[in-house]
């Protein structure tokens, strides 16, 4: 199979996994669904192939875990990162980006799956994006950026757009990052810290 055909087959299988996830999310809560369930519903066996078709990352502890626990882990990581950072906006934003990217690299397959609008609004349930906003991740980014503007160290005239750009850049890395490639995880994390500081126009960036 040539590279074009391989790419087409990969995209088709990904689409099948997203449809399987959407089917499950329509009837079940996050607490009732795992990556293994999604793979089984799509007819992907062995379950490790789900990883290969989505992001190709190793998440050995994630297959049987309800997706709700992985969402909770995201908030545990970012809240801990910010809580242990210094008080300045630069320190807090850097810590929040490091925490967010650390989670994405640890649970790349899961985060990629959840990103793809596969959790739809059903009744009064929240989508994954709405959960993040509701529980404060986007709000926290916004508050820290506003702090930096007040401190005079972030000169962006568009703080809301800067927040959206930072969050979008982080989730975009889920698509392209390959841990077997030349960019190591720690290097990638620090790269995105710098991108974030550039986005808010940090006065001390060199």
């Amino acid at each position: 199979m040539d590279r074009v055909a391989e790419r087409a087959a990969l995209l088709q299988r990904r689409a099948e996994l997203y449809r399987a996830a959407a089917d499950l999310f329509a009837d079940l809560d996050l607490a009732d669904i795992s990556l293994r369930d999604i793979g089984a519903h799509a007819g992907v066996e062995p379950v490790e192939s789900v990883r290969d078709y989505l992001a190709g990352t190793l998440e050995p502890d994630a297959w049987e875990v309800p997706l709700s626990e992985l969402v909770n882990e995201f908030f545990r990581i970012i809240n801990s990162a910010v809580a242990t950072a210094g008080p300045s906006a630069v320190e807090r934003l850097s810590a929040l980006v490091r925490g967010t990217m650390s989670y994405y690299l640890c649970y790349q397959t899961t985060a990629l799956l959840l990103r793809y609008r596969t959790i739809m609004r059903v009744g009064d349930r929240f989508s994954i994006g709405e959960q993040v906003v509701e529980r404060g991740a986007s709000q926290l980014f916004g508050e820290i950026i506003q702090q930096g503007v007040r401190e005079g160290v972030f000169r962006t005239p568009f703080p809301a757009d800067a927040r959206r750009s930072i969050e979008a850049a982080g989730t975009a890395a889920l698509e392209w990052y390959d841990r077997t490639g030349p960019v190591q995880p720690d290097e990638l994390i620090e790269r995105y810290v710098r991108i974030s500081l550039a986005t808010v126009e940090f006065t001390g960036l060199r």
Side-chain angles (χ1 to χ4, degrees):
M1 184 181 295
D2 61 32
R3 292 180 64 88
V4 174
E6 287 180 357
R7 179 63 177 171
L10 173 64
L11 293 176
Q12 179 179 350
R13 184 47 63 95
R14 282 186 178 179
E16 291 170 359
L17 287 166
Y18 298 142
R19 285 195 297 270
D23 288 344
L24 292 176
F25 292 140
D27 298 319
L28 300 172
D29 190 80
L30 283 180
D32 302 318
I33 305 169
S34 68
L35 289 176
R36 184 177 292 278
D37 296 326
I38 294 170
H41 193 75
V44 176
E45 297 290 346
V47 70
E48 286 76 9
S49 296
V50 177
R51 175 195 64 212
D52 298 329
Y53 284 124
L54 289 175
T57 59
L58 297 172
E59 298 171 15
D61 300 325
W63 299 115
E64 305 285 357
V65 176
L67 295 183
S68 59
E69 293 188 20
L70 299 177
V71 173
N72 290 337
E73 178 69 0
F74 169 70
F75 289 100
R76 187 196 66 77
I77 290 173
I78 65 169
N79 288 334
S80 175
V82 174
T84 56
S88 73
V90 173
E91 292 169 308
R92 296 180 72 216
L93 180 60
S94 297
L96 180 55
V97 172
R98 288 190 181 102
T100 299
M101 295 305 298
S102 294
Y103 175 86
Y104 285 167
L105 296 185
C106 183
Y107 297 108
Q108 188 176 358
T109 298
T110 307
L112 181 64
L113 179 69
L114 294 176
R115 178 190 174 215
Y116 266 85
R117 294 178 295 183
T118 50
I119 303 180
M120 307 300 182
R121 178 180 281 280
V122 179
D124 60 354
R125 298 180 193 173
F126 288 117
S127 73
I128 186 66
E130 289 166 331
Q131 284 188 27
V132 168
V133 172
E134 180 72 12
R135 296 182 55 181
S138 292
Q139 181 179 353
L140 183 56
F141 269 107
E143 289 176 353
I144 293 174
I145 292 171
Q146 289 288 358
Q147 176 190 347
V149 171
R150 291 193 303 271
E151 292 175 355
V153 294
F154 297 164
R155 292 187 175 177
T156 175
F158 310 110
D161 290 331
R163 173 190 61 77
R164 284 188 285 267
S165 296
I166 291 170
E167 291 185 279
T171 55
L174 296 170
E175 284 279 6
W176 68 264
Y177 181 65
D178 180 357
R179 65 181 61 243
T180 65
V183 181
Q184 297 302 303
D186 289 346
E187 179 185 351
L188 182 75
I189 290 170
E190 293 309 310
R191 178 185 298 182
Y192 275 78
V193 170
R194 184 176 179 84
I195 289 171
S196 299
L197 294 176
T199 301
V200 296
E201 301 182 30
F202 171 46
T203 57
L205 189 64
R206 289 176 174 77

